[in-house]
Amino acid sequence: MFPGMTGRILAAALLWLAAFVSTANAQTITNRAQAVVELYTSQGCTQCPRANRLVGTFAGEDGVLALTMPVAIWDYLGWHDTFAQPEFTLRHRAYSRALRVRGRQTPWLVFNGASQLSASDWDEARAMLDQTRTTPLANGPDVRLTRPRSSRVRVTIGSGTPRAAADVWMLAYDPGPITVFVTDGANRTRRIEHYNLVRWIENVGSWNGGAVYFEASRCSPECAVIVQEPNGGRIITAAYTAPR
């Protein structure tokens, strides 16, 4: 073994140890995800309220990180989605390109960043989730979420051998249900519920195979981390907190 290689291995080991020593008294709150399901929805989409409820069902299953990311794709119909964010739109577009889907659609489900399906058919969505869980996210690095201080969350990612450098995404989500009364557009007079609604998502860095950690000061009420190949690529691993 070469001296330079030995030094890199030692440095990674020390970083990993330091991260765990510093959080030895912290509360470990990690749930390792077997499947990540992302719903792209809109309050101006007639099929979306039902798809939102489907995500609420998925969110209650062990090992499933089900997330709702509203987009403003139908705002021109008269109702501006109250939770849509530009970051969700960029992610929506990246998946459309990566999965070779013509245009963007709602309600739309993406599974582990690797497959997609319309969320209009519950039976098909259930079958896709069951299929996704047969090959869970088990080969990625170990990833943990801890709260070393009450106002912060730390993500610790272990070593591994990625195919290429991966993005590390941190996000905060609200389990809900959060209800919005729509007064215009295609869903006028309807009450729409949202489950596991993403409040913010941020690319906090990259993972190249060595042990690393990141911290965020605002990750509540619940927090998740997704390690993912760039540009709407395959999700390598993910972890999340959940209501007790």
Side-chain angles (χ1 to χ4, degrees):
M1 185 177 292
F2 297 104
M5 183 180 299
T6 302
R8 288 194 297 272
I9 294 173
L10 179 60
L14 290 174
L15 175 61
W16 183 250
L17 178 62
F20 275 101
V21 169
S22 64
T23 59
N25 296 319
Q27 182 183 16
T28 301
I29 48 178
T30 301
N31 296 283
R32 185 74 175 266
Q34 295 177 334
V36 179
V37 183
E38 298 174 52
L39 171 67
Y40 292 88
T41 183
S42 171
Q43 294 164 6
C45 154
T46 57
Q47 295 296 318
C48 287
R50 189 168 182 270
N52 291 4
R53 294 194 296 273
L54 174 63
V55 165
T57 299
F58 287 170
E61 300 185 19
D62 290 340
V64 177
L65 175 58
L67 301 168
T68 296
M69 297 196 193
V71 292
I73 190 172
W74 303 112
D75 282 9
Y76 72 92
L77 295 178
W79 176 261
H80 287 245
D81 193 292
T82 57
F83 298 127
Q85 296 186 32
E87 292 82 2
F88 304 158
T89 297
L90 291 175
R91 196 167 175 87
H92 195 194
R93 287 174 177 163
Y95 277 137
S96 295
R97 291 191 296 266
L99 297 173
R100 299 182 180 180
V101 175
R102 179 177 294 180
R104 292 180 295 136
Q105 57 181 293
T106 58
W108 194 46
L109 293 169
V110 179
F111 299 83
N112 286 355
S115 56
Q116 58 82 29
L117 187 73
S118 169
S120 299
D121 190 312
W122 280 34
D123 291 337
E124 289 185 1
R126 162 54 62 188
M128 179 68 79
L129 177 59
D130 290 344
Q131 178 182 345
T132 300
R133 295 179 77 174
T134 63
T135 54
L137 299 172
N139 296 322
D142 183 46
V143 56
R144 300 189 182 204
L145 286 158
T146 55
R147 294 191 188 274
R149 294 182 294 279
S150 59
S151 62
R152 302 188 68 82
V153 171
R154 172 173 291 178
V155 172
T156 309
I157 305 172
S159 59
T161 53
R163 294 190 298 187
D167 293 329
V168 179
W169 296 90
M170 289 188 70
L171 59 95
Y173 68 95
D174 191 328
I178 301 169
T179 303
V180 172
F181 181 68
V182 177
T183 60
D184 205 346
N187 285 320
R188 184 178 180 182
T189 73
R190 296 183 69 178
R191 294 184 183 276
I192 300 179
E193 294 182 332
H194 305 73
Y195 299 84
N196 279 19
L197 175 66
V198 177
R199 291 299 195 175
W200 65 264
I201 184 169
E202 182 178 349
N203 185 338
V204 296
S206 62
W207 177 73
N208 296 291
V212 292
Y213 72 89
F214 305 91
E215 286 193 5
S217 59
R218 52 186 183 96
C219 204
S220 63
E222 302 299 337
C223 191
V225 58
I226 296 174
V227 182
Q228 181 174 20
E229 294 176 354
N231 304 315
R234 180 180 64 99
I235 292 176
I236 299 171
T237 191
Y240 61 100
T241 69
R244 294 172 181 80

